[in-house]
Amino acid sequence: MPAPEKWLDGTLASAPRRIFATSTFDASIAVASLAACEALLNPVAFGFSALPLAAALGAAIGSLLGFVYMLLLRQTRPRQILAWCAPSAALGLTPAIAIGSFAKLRGPHHGLALVTIVATALCGALVGAVLALGQPTRVGRPTVSRPAWLAFSVVVAFAAAFATEASYDTLPVLRVYPPLRIAMFAATCLLVAHAGIAAGAWLRSPRTLVVAPKLVIASFAALVVSGVIADASLPGERVGPLLSRPISRRLFLLARAITDFDGDGSSSLFGGDDCAPFDAAVNPRAREIPGNGIDDNCRWGDAKVKKARVPATVPAGAPPSPVDVVILTIDTLRADHVGSYGYARPTTPHLDEFARTALRFEDAYTSGGWTCLAMNSMLTGLYSRELDWQPVAITTNERIVPFPWKPELTEGEHWMNTLSAPVRTPIEPMPIWLRAHGIRSTAVVASMPGMMLDYKKSLEHTFDDVFVAPRNSDDSAVVDAALERLFAMKTDAPFFLWVHLFEPHEPYGHQPEAPTFGDTLVDRYDHDVAFSDYQAGRLLAAIDARKSRPTAIIVASDHGESFEGGVPAHGADLHEESIHIPLFVRGPGVTPGVSDAQVSLVDVASTVLEWTGTPGGDLDGVSLLHPLANRAVITDIWRNGDDGHLFLDLVGVTAGDRRLVRDLLNETWTMYAAHDMTRPLRGSGERVDEGLRAVIGSYLEETGVLE
């Protein structure tokens, strides 16, 4: 019968108990060290407040690993490796499943979907293989205690931690797919905990004789518990900067989720803003109900009853519009890839020629970070959150179906993405006002955005004439249709024409009419920009050649684009590259040149109404013919997952060189330098401007939080 095993401090203990205790302690130290390194490397969110939470999480992971180690202690080595790798590979597939990769195998991004599925499974298997190195053999000696395996474990853990840190801000696509970010965080913590266990096994080997007595472990546990209690009472201003980093962010969000006692998605602890922790109806994400005597959203008190927006009516006998109006929008066109905005490549010669006869706004911003938000805001003259929205699913058949979407699918049809569609507006969209003034309105839209924007026939109900380009057509079909309608317009009757091009949006193609710049992602984007510019030139030339009534023209983009990480992405944040747009105006009352006024896409409706002499209602936008000085403009972005729930909800206000962003899900306020184009984007470290906070506060009180 074997002699009883001893701790290195001389006390007796069984091998399983030793494995469990040392795994818990070593993993706790390792994950806490990871949080400490992150704090040291981040000068903005410097602080060690996340260490107690990291230590607690590490202890939980170490206990889990120790428990599995004990379960597999008597198995053969091949069975142990299989028991670690197979479940890990299966778990690795869960983020791919969560972001719909299997459904997207039948869509236009099938190649990327296949890569995602294979990569996540392989990464999961790799994590399992590394964890298997720490599995003790039947004789109780950890394989990982060998110096070579120890070094390998530490290197893998370091690489995972570095990848998580480096990709957090530099890969905007990860913001669009939160399950991938969660998987990276989980894998990093597992690997770091495992490396800590490996290092502990080596330190406690007979050759090193480093002792970890029970007193040390008990003292460390007391420190961790007291630190977690202290973290629970931290104010939001202290926690907010910590959420700018991936490890600290996940730790605090996990702690908030655990202490969300009423299940309303918010906590009163760990920097959370829930003012009623046991009342699910009152929380920072609740919709404020004006006049009910309750501060439903824990901010700014009970809102006053909002005055209904009443559109002005066109008086009988009002003179007809003195001008025709054309709005040309180009999807996903970044301002800094337009020649007149300083881009060196000849991507936009036709727009640059048009800019010489127009007023170019240097500081123009979208009101919504993706097409649905931006275009509906442009057509109504209201900021995005003023409208009522519902999540809808886009399918592989390019259909839009409401939630719950699964019963709506036909045979062979699959979910591809989730969008938001407006289901109600406080006032009618601008083209309906024009109709009341005797102005015929026409929309000519590319296939994909047309399908998105025409949910429940909303475009057909808004415009007199709607053309959505056929599926798989390019911008030439859009302009052909626009020219056909332009030439059919009566020369003595006012009209409003909106044309939306789509080519700069991925997936990118090849067009003989546009120059080729290379094979990189940006090169291919620029090629498609040049093709849309060529098509825009056809339309602008036809307008100028049309001998009829004066025609006022606005040219703009709906939002920008990001190219970080080898994948184009937008609608993921409020970075300058994603929300700064080109905006040109030519028409009566406009002097060609350059304006540094802060303007927004929400201003387009007011401008059209002024040009046409159509009475306007209570709009958020102001006419671009009279831009305001020292103005702050608002930009929204939110995203829903395949279950319809929000995973991103940001509202930002830009004023001059400063931008304040409110993260409604994480309950943080962050100041940024507005024109900062670097990645990773960091908060400026400036104290929150109370004037900008009041702008967002007033906006949210009036519009409410998304449901």
Side-chain angles (χ1 to χ4, degrees), residues 37-49:
C37 291
E38 181 183 69
L40 289 170
L41 294 173
N42 182 9
V44 175
F46 184 87
F48 296 95
S49 299

Side-chain angles (χ1 to χ4, degrees), residues 109-172:
H109 303 106
H110 56 274
L112 184 59
L114 180 61
V115 170
T116 302
I117 292 169
V118 174
T120 53
L122 288 177
C123 287
L126 175 62
V127 171
V130 174
L131 295 178
L133 295 176
Q135 175 64 51
T137 63
R138 283 185 292 179
V139 296
R141 186 177 182 83
T143 308
V144 80
S145 62
R146 298 172 184 172
W149 290 127
L150 171 62
F152 176 74
S153 300
V154 172
V155 169
V156 170
F158 176 81
F162 177 80
T164 299
E165 286 283 337
S167 64
Y168 180 75
D169 286 319
T170 57
L171 300 183

Side-chain angles (χ1 to χ4, degrees), residues 147-473:
W149 290 127
L150 171 62
F152 176 74
S153 300
V154 172
V155 169
V156 170
F158 176 81
F162 177 80
T164 299
E165 286 283 337
S167 64
Y168 180 75
D169 286 319
T170 57
L171 300 183
V173 68
L174 291 180
R175 292 181 179 267
V176 183
Y177 298 117
L180 293 178
R181 299 169 73 178
I182 295 173
M184 291 182 67
F185 170 76
T188 297
C189 289
L190 277 170
L191 292 170
V192 169
H194 169 265
I197 295 172
W202 180 80
L203 287 172
R204 281 187 291 274
S205 66
R207 284 173 291 183
T208 54
L209 295 178
V210 175
V211 177
K214 294 180 179 179
L215 180 60
V216 173
I217 296 177
S219 300
F220 178 75
L223 286 174
V224 170
V225 171
S226 60
V228 170
I229 293 173
D231 283 348
S233 61
L234 285 175
E237 289 74 12
R238 176 72 184 275
V239 174
L242 295 169
L243 299 186
S244 66
R245 303 307 307 145
I247 305 300
S248 298
R249 171 192 174 90
R250 288 294 168 195
L251 290 169
F252 273 93
L253 294 185
L254 178 60
R256 287 181 182 177
I258 294 172
T259 56
D260 178 14
F261 304 117
D262 53 11
D264 59 8
S266 185
S267 171
S268 61
L269 304 175
F270 300 100
D273 289 340
D274 194 349
C275 57
F278 300 102
D279 184 354
V282 178
N283 63 79
R285 305 182 192 184
R287 182 178 291 274
E288 181 68 25
I289 302 174
N292 68 345
I294 301 173
D295 185 9
D296 303 278
N297 61 4
C298 298
R299 290 279 180 182
W300 308 289
D302 181 30
K304 297 180 180 179
V305 177
K306 182 171 60 174
K307 184 179 179 181
R309 293 179 182 266
V310 180
T313 57
V314 180
S321 169
V323 298
D324 300 326
V325 179
V326 176
I327 296 178
L328 172 61
T329 50
I330 304 176
D331 208 293
T332 325
L333 178 59
R334 287 175 55 147
D336 62 340
H337 280 246
V338 176
S340 54
Y341 280 83
Y343 198 46
R345 280 181 171 174
T347 51
T348 55
H350 298 92
L351 290 183
D352 298 340
E353 181 64 28
F354 174 77
R356 296 186 184 95
T357 65
L359 177 62
R360 176 173 67 84
F361 288 95
E362 189 71 27
D363 289 324
Y365 290 93
T366 183
S367 46
W370 56 322
T371 305
C372 287
L373 276 60
M375 294 295 90
N376 282 288
S377 174
M378 181 189 79
L379 293 173
T380 59
L382 303 176
Y383 282 125
S384 304
R385 220 170 282 263
E386 293 278 4
L387 284 61
D388 289 333
W389 300 81
Q390 74 175 61
V392 295
I394 179 173
T395 74
T396 50
N397 291 348
E398 290 195 1
R399 286 200 311 132
I400 296 290
V401 296
F403 275 66
W405 51 267
K406 289 184 179 180
E408 302 289 333
L409 300 184
T410 60
E411 184 177 356
E413 187 178 25
H414 301 273
W415 172 87
M416 189 166 64
N417 208 339
T418 302
L419 309 172
S420 286
V423 293
R424 187 167 46 253
T425 61
I427 53 176
E428 299 287 0
M430 173 258 295
I432 294 180
W433 297 20
L434 298 179
R435 181 189 303 163
H437 194 187
I439 302 171
R440 180 174 177 80
S441 61
T442 299
V444 181
V445 189
S447 171
M448 179 63 77
M451 176 267 300
M452 292 163 45
L453 296 167
D454 200 29
Y455 178 64
K456 292 188 175 180
K457 306 296 183 182
S458 59
L459 287 182
E460 291 188 16
H461 296 156
T462 301
F463 289 85
D464 297 306
D465 176 31
V466 176
F467 173 83
V468 176
R471 187 176 180 181
N472 298 323
S473 61

Side-chain angles (χ1 to χ4, degrees), residues 456-520:
K456 292 188 175 180
K457 306 296 183 182
S458 59
L459 287 182
E460 291 188 16
H461 296 156
T462 301
F463 289 85
D464 297 306
D465 176 31
V466 176
F467 173 83
V468 176
R471 187 176 180 181
N472 298 323
S473 61
D474 59 33
D475 283 348
S476 62
V478 179
V479 173
D480 288 345
L483 293 177
E484 179 183 342
R485 283 154 175 78
L486 184 68
F487 294 139
M489 298 286 186
K490 295 180 180 180
T491 57
D492 59 345
F495 72 86
F496 167 68
L497 173 64
W498 171 44
V499 180
H500 185 74
L501 305 181
F502 191 65
E503 215 67 30
H505 195 291
E506 59 84 28
Y508 305 130
H510 178 72
Q511 306 290 347
E513 298 91 342
T516 300
F517 300 104
D519 296 324
T520 69

Side-chain angles (χ1 to χ4, degrees), residues 571-607:
D573 54 28
L574 297 179
H575 192 287
E576 184 81 356
E577 64 191 6
S578 298
I579 67 174
H580 184 208
I581 61 171
L583 180 60
F584 308 94
V585 177
R586 189 180 79 180
V590 176
T591 301
V594 179
S595 172
D596 60 359
Q598 200 108 53
V599 296
S600 167
L601 203 59
V602 78
D603 300 330
V604 168
S606 296
T607 309

